[in-house]
Amino acid sequence: MHFHLPKPLHGWREFAGEVGIIVVGVLIALGAEQVVETIHWNGQVRDMREAMDEEMAHNNKAFAYRIAGHDCISQRLTKLSGIVEHAARHDTVPAVGEVIPDIGNALSDNAWETSRAAATLAHFQREPLRLYGQYYMQRANVQAFMGEEVQDWGVIKVLQGDADRLGPVDIAGLRVAIKHAEFENDIIATIAEEELATSRQLHVDVPRADPARLAQLCDAPDGTANR
């Protein structure tokens, strides 16, 4: 038995040419689709980087402030600790004014979370992605320390007013809160320095601390300045 292959109407050469044209057309279409997708994601990455850079520049204002204000906050805590020890010895202690300093602002991560939700991070280059991830991981860490710091300053606020009224339990709580606040002040400033270093690697704006705000913090208009 013999099988006869159907012959193309115009011969095998013409048929192969037509198939080749179809294949090339498909490849061109796929390549064009890939180009369009690449252009789309490059635009998404560019927009997200701009949004994150702007967000980081805003956060960096708080970081610069905490670095510059570290020593002033530390000195304030030392003064408050001295008042607590005077009160513990039942020394005469003048009324204490406002003790809580301006310790900073909330830090934002909205742009980072939006980028994660949109799967845009998968299209970042490796090194920028590593640096952005490092920055926002540390941002979460420092935000947690800031939350604990606020709670400790809330305890320290008990010192305001007539310190003679404080009992042993108050004194013990104040000692612990002040020690915690000292640690938090140190760790926040340390992480803030790392965040600014990462920002420089990404060419994100690193501002100077607001001099007027810093002066207000360091002048300590809180009833403890002359103690």
Side-chain angles (χ1 to χ4, degrees), residues 74-104:
S74 178
Q75 291 167 12
R76 178 179 298 223
L77 286 167
T78 297
K79 292 176 183 178
L80 294 174
S81 179
I83 293 173
V84 170
E85 296 310 314
H86 279 297
R89 295 193 298 268
H90 304 290
D91 296 339
T92 300
V93 179
V96 180
E98 177 64 44
V99 298
I100 300 180
D102 177 5
I103 54 178

PDB file of all heavy atoms in Angstrom, residues 74-104:
ATOM      1  N   SER A  74      18.790  63.078  75.858  1.00  0.00           N
ATOM      2  CA  SER A  74      19.566  62.367  76.875  1.00  0.00           C
ATOM      3  C   SER A  74      19.794  63.251  78.107  1.00  0.00           C
ATOM      4  O   SER A  74      19.646  62.796  79.260  1.00  0.00           O
ATOM      5  CB  SER A  74      20.909  61.925  76.289  1.00  0.00           C
ATOM      6  OG  SER A  74      21.694  61.268  77.252  1.00  0.00           O
ATOM      7  N   GLN A  75      20.139  64.502  77.889  1.00  0.00           N
ATOM      8  CA  GLN A  75      20.352  65.429  79.004  1.00  0.00           C
ATOM      9  C   GLN A  75      19.066  65.657  79.793  1.00  0.00           C
ATOM     10  O   GLN A  75      19.071  65.752  81.022  1.00  0.00           O
ATOM     11  CB  GLN A  75      20.892  66.751  78.475  1.00  0.00           C
ATOM     12  CG  GLN A  75      22.308  66.661  77.927  1.00  0.00           C
ATOM     13  CD  GLN A  75      22.716  67.876  77.130  1.00  0.00           C
ATOM     14  OE1 GLN A  75      22.042  68.914  77.146  1.00  0.00           O
ATOM     15  NE2 GLN A  75      23.828  67.774  76.408  1.00  0.00           N
ATOM     16  N   ARG A  76      17.961  65.732  79.083  1.00  0.00           N
ATOM     17  CA  ARG A  76      16.687  65.926  79.758  1.00  0.00           C
ATOM     18  C   ARG A  76      16.372  64.733  80.657  1.00  0.00           C
ATOM     19  O   ARG A  76      15.947  64.892  81.805  1.00  0.00           O
ATOM     20  CB  ARG A  76      15.568  66.112  78.725  1.00  0.00           C
ATOM     21  CG  ARG A  76      14.191  66.278  79.358  1.00  0.00           C
ATOM     22  CD  ARG A  76      13.122  66.487  78.301  1.00  0.00           C
ATOM     23  NE  ARG A  76      13.363  67.692  77.541  1.00  0.00           N
ATOM     24  CZ  ARG A  76      12.420  68.563  77.213  1.00  0.00           C
ATOM     25  NH1 ARG A  76      11.171  68.360  77.617  1.00  0.00           N
ATOM     26  NH2 ARG A  76      12.699  69.627  76.507  1.00  0.00           N
ATOM     27  N   LEU A  77      16.626  63.537  80.148  1.00  0.00           N
ATOM     28  CA  LEU A  77      16.371  62.332  80.946  1.00  0.00           C
ATOM     29  C   LEU A  77      17.281  62.296  82.173  1.00  0.00           C
ATOM     30  O   LEU A  77      16.865  61.849  83.252  1.00  0.00           O
ATOM     31  CB  LEU A  77      16.576  61.091  80.078  1.00  0.00           C
ATOM     32  CG  LEU A  77      15.465  60.827  79.047  1.00  0.00           C
ATOM     33  CD1 LEU A  77      15.922  59.783  78.030  1.00  0.00           C
ATOM     34  CD2 LEU A  77      14.182  60.369  79.732  1.00  0.00           C
ATOM     35  N   THR A  78      18.516  62.756  82.019  1.00  0.00           N
ATOM     36  CA  THR A  78      19.434  62.792  83.162  1.00  0.00           C
ATOM     37  C   THR A  78      18.913  63.738  84.239  1.00  0.00           C
ATOM     38  O   THR A  78      18.953  63.424  85.445  1.00  0.00           O
ATOM     39  CB  THR A  78      20.833  63.243  82.708  1.00  0.00           C
ATOM     40  OG1 THR A  78      21.356  62.287  81.780  1.00  0.00           O
ATOM     41  CG2 THR A  78      21.781  63.357  83.899  1.00  0.00           C
ATOM     42  N   LYS A  79      18.404  64.902  83.828  1.00  0.00           N
ATOM     43  CA  LYS A  79      17.842  65.856  84.787  1.00  0.00           C
ATOM     44  C   LYS A  79      16.621  65.265  85.496  1.00  0.00           C
ATOM     45  O   LYS A  79      16.461  65.402  86.713  1.00  0.00           O
ATOM     46  CB  LYS A  79      17.445  67.145  84.075  1.00  0.00           C
ATOM     47  CG  LYS A  79      18.626  67.946  83.548  1.00  0.00           C
ATOM     48  CD  LYS A  79      18.143  69.157  82.769  1.00  0.00           C
ATOM     49  CE  LYS A  79      19.304  69.938  82.174  1.00  0.00           C
ATOM     50  NZ  LYS A  79      18.845  71.099  81.375  1.00  0.00           N
ATOM     51  N   LEU A  80      15.776  64.623  84.737  1.00  0.00           N
ATOM     52  CA  LEU A  80      14.574  64.028  85.322  1.00  0.00           C
ATOM     53  C   LEU A  80      14.935  62.905  86.292  1.00  0.00           C
ATOM     54  O   LEU A  80      14.307  62.746  87.345  1.00  0.00           O
ATOM     55  CB  LEU A  80      13.659  63.503  84.211  1.00  0.00           C
ATOM     56  CG  LEU A  80      13.063  64.576  83.290  1.00  0.00           C
ATOM     57  CD1 LEU A  80      12.308  63.924  82.144  1.00  0.00           C
ATOM     58  CD2 LEU A  80      12.141  65.508  84.076  1.00  0.00           C
ATOM     59  N   SER A  81      15.957  62.149  85.931  1.00  0.00           N
ATOM     60  CA  SER A  81      16.415  61.091  86.836  1.00  0.00           C
ATOM     61  C   SER A  81      16.907  61.689  88.155  1.00  0.00           C
ATOM     62  O   SER A  81      16.648  61.140  89.242  1.00  0.00           O
ATOM     63  CB  SER A  81      17.537  60.290  86.176  1.00  0.00           C
ATOM     64  OG  SER A  81      18.021  59.276  87.028  1.00  0.00           O
ATOM     65  N   GLY A  82      17.606  62.828  88.075  1.00  0.00           N
ATOM     66  CA  GLY A  82      18.064  63.494  89.295  1.00  0.00           C
ATOM     67  C   GLY A  82      16.911  63.950  90.160  1.00  0.00           C
ATOM     68  O   GLY A  82      16.956  63.830  91.399  1.00  0.00           O
ATOM     69  N   ILE A  83      15.847  64.456  89.534  1.00  0.00           N
ATOM     70  CA  ILE A  83      14.669  64.884  90.298  1.00  0.00           C
ATOM     71  C   ILE A  83      14.037  63.687  91.001  1.00  0.00           C
ATOM     72  O   ILE A  83      13.631  63.774  92.169  1.00  0.00           O
ATOM     73  CB  ILE A  83      13.653  65.565  89.369  1.00  0.00           C
ATOM     74  CG1 ILE A  83      14.221  66.879  88.841  1.00  0.00           C
ATOM     75  CG2 ILE A  83      12.343  65.828  90.100  1.00  0.00           C
ATOM     76  CD1 ILE A  83      13.355  67.537  87.776  1.00  0.00           C
ATOM     77  N   VAL A  84      13.962  62.561  90.292  1.00  0.00           N
ATOM     78  CA  VAL A  84      13.387  61.348  90.891  1.00  0.00           C
ATOM     79  C   VAL A  84      14.186  60.924  92.113  1.00  0.00           C
ATOM     80  O   VAL A  84      13.624  60.566  93.154  1.00  0.00           O
ATOM     81  CB  VAL A  84      13.346  60.210  89.849  1.00  0.00           C
ATOM     82  CG1 VAL A  84      12.989  58.885  90.522  1.00  0.00           C
ATOM     83  CG2 VAL A  84      12.333  60.524  88.750  1.00  0.00           C
ATOM     84  N   GLU A  85      15.510  60.985  92.018  1.00  0.00           N
ATOM     85  CA  GLU A  85      16.343  60.563  93.153  1.00  0.00           C
ATOM     86  C   GLU A  85      16.213  61.539  94.321  1.00  0.00           C
ATOM     87  O   GLU A  85      16.236  61.113  95.498  1.00  0.00           O
ATOM     88  CB  GLU A  85      17.804  60.428  92.712  1.00  0.00           C
ATOM     89  CG  GLU A  85      18.034  59.338  91.665  1.00  0.00           C
ATOM     90  CD  GLU A  85      17.409  58.010  92.072  1.00  0.00           C
ATOM     91  OE1 GLU A  85      17.573  57.597  93.241  1.00  0.00           O
ATOM     92  OE2 GLU A  85      16.758  57.384  91.213  1.00  0.00           O
ATOM     93  N   HIS A  86      16.078  62.823  94.041  1.00  0.00           N
ATOM     94  CA  HIS A  86      15.820  63.785  95.122  1.00  0.00           C
ATOM     95  C   HIS A  86      14.484  63.464  95.804  1.00  0.00           C
ATOM     96  O   HIS A  86      14.381  63.493  97.042  1.00  0.00           O
ATOM     97  CB  HIS A  86      15.799  65.215  94.560  1.00  0.00           C
ATOM     98  CG  HIS A  86      17.155  65.798  94.358  1.00  0.00           C
ATOM     99  ND1 HIS A  86      18.032  66.030  95.393  1.00  0.00           N
ATOM    100  CD2 HIS A  86      17.793  66.212  93.226  1.00  0.00           C
ATOM    101  CE1 HIS A  86      19.151  66.552  94.932  1.00  0.00           C
ATOM    102  NE2 HIS A  86      19.028  66.669  93.610  1.00  0.00           N
ATOM    103  N   ALA A  87      13.490  63.168  95.011  1.00  0.00           N
ATOM    104  CA  ALA A  87      12.175  62.836  95.571  1.00  0.00           C
ATOM    105  C   ALA A  87      12.248  61.555  96.385  1.00  0.00           C
ATOM    106  O   ALA A  87      11.585  61.431  97.425  1.00  0.00           O
ATOM    107  CB  ALA A  87      11.151  62.697  94.441  1.00  0.00           C
ATOM    108  N   ALA A  88      13.054  60.599  95.946  1.00  0.00           N
ATOM    109  CA  ALA A  88      13.191  59.335  96.668  1.00  0.00           C
ATOM    110  C   ALA A  88      13.828  59.554  98.037  1.00  0.00           C
ATOM    111  O   ALA A  88      13.532  58.820  98.997  1.00  0.00           O
ATOM    112  CB  ALA A  88      14.026  58.357  95.849  1.00  0.00           C
ATOM    113  N   ARG A  89      14.686  60.581  98.147  1.00  0.00           N
ATOM    114  CA  ARG A  89      15.332  60.889  99.430  1.00  0.00           C
ATOM    115  C   ARG A  89      14.505  61.874 100.257  1.00  0.00           C
ATOM    116  O   ARG A  89      14.943  62.316 101.316  1.00  0.00           O
ATOM    117  CB  ARG A  89      16.726  61.460  99.175  1.00  0.00           C
ATOM    118  CG  ARG A  89      17.704  60.487  98.535  1.00  0.00           C
ATOM    119  CD  ARG A  89      19.128  61.027  98.605  1.00  0.00           C
ATOM    120  NE  ARG A  89      19.267  62.279  97.862  1.00  0.00           N
ATOM    121  CZ  ARG A  89      19.634  62.353  96.580  1.00  0.00           C
ATOM    122  NH1 ARG A  89      19.887  61.239  95.901  1.00  0.00           N
ATOM    123  NH2 ARG A  89      19.751  63.523  95.975  1.00  0.00           N
ATOM    124  N   HIS A  90      13.328  62.215  99.728  1.00  0.00           N
ATOM    125  CA  HIS A  90      12.433  63.168 100.399  1.00  0.00           C
ATOM    126  C   HIS A  90      13.062  64.551 100.517  1.00  0.00           C
ATOM    127  O   HIS A  90      12.786  65.290 101.470  1.00  0.00           O
ATOM    128  CB  HIS A  90      12.019  62.647 101.786  1.00  0.00           C
ATOM    129  CG  HIS A  90      11.377  61.292 101.735  1.00  0.00           C
ATOM    130  ND1 HIS A  90      10.131  61.093 101.204  1.00  0.00           N
ATOM    131  CD2 HIS A  90      11.831  60.067 102.148  1.00  0.00           C
ATOM    132  CE1 HIS A  90       9.821  59.799 101.284  1.00  0.00           C
ATOM    133  NE2 HIS A  90      10.842  59.157 101.845  1.00  0.00           N
ATOM    134  N   ASP A  91      13.938  64.880  99.562  1.00  0.00           N
ATOM    135  CA  ASP A  91      14.459  66.245  99.512  1.00  0.00           C
ATOM    136  C   ASP A  91      13.341  67.186  99.034  1.00  0.00           C
ATOM    137  O   ASP A  91      12.359  66.749  98.427  1.00  0.00           O
ATOM    138  CB  ASP A  91      15.633  66.344  98.524  1.00  0.00           C
ATOM    139  CG  ASP A  91      16.823  65.505  98.965  1.00  0.00           C
ATOM    140  OD1 ASP A  91      16.898  65.188 100.166  1.00  0.00           O
ATOM    141  OD2 ASP A  91      17.659  65.162  98.107  1.00  0.00           O
ATOM    142  N   THR A  92      13.518  68.458  99.342  1.00  0.00           N
ATOM    143  CA  THR A  92      12.548  69.426  98.839  1.00  0.00           C
ATOM    144  C   THR A  92      12.776  69.616  97.342  1.00  0.00           C
ATOM    145  O   THR A  92      13.880  69.977  96.914  1.00  0.00           O
ATOM    146  CB  THR A  92      12.700  70.776  99.570  1.00  0.00           C
ATOM    147  OG1 THR A  92      12.476  70.570 100.976  1.00  0.00           O
ATOM    148  CG2 THR A  92      11.703  71.789  99.027  1.00  0.00           C
ATOM    149  N   VAL A  93      11.744  69.346  96.558  1.00  0.00           N
ATOM    150  CA  VAL A  93      11.847  69.431  95.101  1.00  0.00           C
ATOM    151  C   VAL A  93      10.812  70.436  94.590  1.00  0.00           C
ATOM    152  O   VAL A  93       9.621  70.288  94.864  1.00  0.00           O
ATOM    153  CB  VAL A  93      11.596  68.053  94.447  1.00  0.00           C
ATOM    154  CG1 VAL A  93      11.693  68.160  92.937  1.00  0.00           C
ATOM    155  CG2 VAL A  93      12.587  67.023  94.981  1.00  0.00           C
ATOM    156  N   PRO A  94      11.247  71.477  93.883  1.00  0.00           N
ATOM    157  CA  PRO A  94      10.286  72.433  93.317  1.00  0.00           C
ATOM    158  C   PRO A  94       9.331  71.731  92.355  1.00  0.00           C
ATOM    159  O   PRO A  94       9.628  70.651  91.833  1.00  0.00           O
ATOM    160  CB  PRO A  94      11.169  73.444  92.573  1.00  0.00           C
ATOM    161  CG  PRO A  94      12.531  73.279  93.188  1.00  0.00           C
ATOM    162  CD  PRO A  94      12.637  71.842  93.568  1.00  0.00           C
ATOM    163  N   ALA A  95       8.198  72.342  92.124  1.00  0.00           N
ATOM    164  CA  ALA A  95       7.217  71.772  91.199  1.00  0.00           C
ATOM    165  C   ALA A  95       7.846  71.581  89.822  1.00  0.00           C
ATOM    166  O   ALA A  95       8.621  72.411  89.346  1.00  0.00           O
ATOM    167  CB  ALA A  95       5.998  72.680  91.110  1.00  0.00           C
ATOM    168  N   VAL A  96       7.515  70.470  89.202  1.00  0.00           N
ATOM    169  CA  VAL A  96       8.083  70.125  87.903  1.00  0.00           C
ATOM    170  C   VAL A  96       7.081  70.473  86.802  1.00  0.00           C
ATOM    171  O   VAL A  96       5.909  70.106  86.867  1.00  0.00           O
ATOM    172  CB  VAL A  96       8.417  68.616  87.844  1.00  0.00           C
ATOM    173  CG1 VAL A  96       9.005  68.250  86.481  1.00  0.00           C
ATOM    174  CG2 VAL A  96       9.380  68.242  88.966  1.00  0.00           C
ATOM    175  N   GLY A  97       7.573  71.177  85.787  1.00  0.00           N
ATOM    176  CA  GLY A  97       6.708  71.559  84.668  1.00  0.00           C
ATOM    177  C   GLY A  97       6.585  70.449  83.642  1.00  0.00           C
ATOM    178  O   GLY A  97       6.837  69.274  83.935  1.00  0.00           O
ATOM    179  N   GLU A  98       6.229  70.808  82.418  1.00  0.00           N
ATOM    180  CA  GLU A  98       6.065  69.842  81.333  1.00  0.00           C
ATOM    181  C   GLU A  98       7.380  69.107  81.085  1.00  0.00           C
ATOM    182  O   GLU A  98       8.436  69.719  80.929  1.00  0.00           O
ATOM    183  CB  GLU A  98       5.641  70.568  80.050  1.00  0.00           C
ATOM    184  CG  GLU A  98       5.499  69.680  78.837  1.00  0.00           C
ATOM    185  CD  GLU A  98       4.395  68.646  78.987  1.00  0.00           C
ATOM    186  OE1 GLU A  98       3.296  69.014  79.465  1.00  0.00           O
ATOM    187  OE2 GLU A  98       4.643  67.476  78.630  1.00  0.00           O
ATOM    188  N   VAL A  99       7.326  67.793  81.057  1.00  0.00           N
ATOM    189  CA  VAL A  99       8.558  67.011  80.914  1.00  0.00           C
ATOM    190  C   VAL A  99       8.684  66.323  79.558  1.00  0.00           C
ATOM    191  O   VAL A  99       9.790  65.997  79.136  1.00  0.00           O
ATOM    192  CB  VAL A  99       8.660  65.934  82.024  1.00  0.00           C
ATOM    193  CG1 VAL A  99       8.713  66.569  83.389  1.00  0.00           C
ATOM    194  CG2 VAL A  99       7.533  64.924  81.921  1.00  0.00           C
ATOM    195  N   ILE A 100       7.570  66.092  78.885  1.00  0.00           N
ATOM    196  CA  ILE A 100       7.621  65.323  77.632  1.00  0.00           C
ATOM    197  C   ILE A 100       8.144  66.218  76.503  1.00  0.00           C
ATOM    198  O   ILE A 100       7.563  67.247  76.195  1.00  0.00           O
ATOM    199  CB  ILE A 100       6.241  64.764  77.264  1.00  0.00           C
ATOM    200  CG1 ILE A 100       5.733  63.831  78.371  1.00  0.00           C
ATOM    201  CG2 ILE A 100       6.312  64.012  75.934  1.00  0.00           C
ATOM    202  CD1 ILE A 100       4.370  63.238  78.101  1.00  0.00           C
ATOM    203  N   PRO A 101       9.244  65.816  75.868  1.00  0.00           N
ATOM    204  CA  PRO A 101       9.794  66.616  74.768  1.00  0.00           C
ATOM    205  C   PRO A 101       9.110  66.294  73.442  1.00  0.00           C
ATOM    206  O   PRO A 101       8.323  65.350  73.342  1.00  0.00           O
ATOM    207  CB  PRO A 101      11.257  66.167  74.735  1.00  0.00           C
ATOM    208  CG  PRO A 101      11.173  64.719  75.137  1.00  0.00           C
ATOM    209  CD  PRO A 101      10.069  64.644  76.168  1.00  0.00           C
ATOM    210  N   ASP A 102       9.425  67.063  72.448  1.00  0.00           N
ATOM    211  CA  ASP A 102       8.997  66.776  71.082  1.00  0.00           C
ATOM    212  C   ASP A 102       9.903  65.662  70.563  1.00  0.00           C
ATOM    213  O   ASP A 102      11.042  65.907  70.168  1.00  0.00           O
ATOM    214  CB  ASP A 102       9.141  68.045  70.232  1.00  0.00           C
ATOM    215  CG  ASP A 102       8.789  67.815  68.764  1.00  0.00           C
ATOM    216  OD1 ASP A 102       8.351  66.700  68.425  1.00  0.00           O
ATOM    217  OD2 ASP A 102       8.958  68.754  67.978  1.00  0.00           O
ATOM    218  N   ILE A 103       9.397  64.431  70.579  1.00  0.00           N
ATOM    219  CA  ILE A 103      10.258  63.292  70.258  1.00  0.00           C
ATOM    220  C   ILE A 103      10.098  62.787  68.830  1.00  0.00           C
ATOM    221  O   ILE A 103      10.652  61.737  68.474  1.00  0.00           O
ATOM    222  CB  ILE A 103      10.051  62.138  71.254  1.00  0.00           C
ATOM    223  CG1 ILE A 103       8.571  61.747  71.350  1.00  0.00           C
ATOM    224  CG2 ILE A 103      10.613  62.501  72.612  1.00  0.00           C
ATOM    225  CD1 ILE A 103       8.313  60.580  72.289  1.00  0.00           C
ATOM    226  N   GLY A 104       9.341  63.484  67.998  1.00  0.00           N
ATOM    227  CA  GLY A 104       9.330  63.088  66.588  1.00  0.00           C
ATOM    228  C   GLY A 104       7.960  62.907  66.002  1.00  0.00           C
ATOM    229  O   GLY A 104       6.939  63.214  66.622  1.00  0.00           O
TER     230      GLY A 104
END
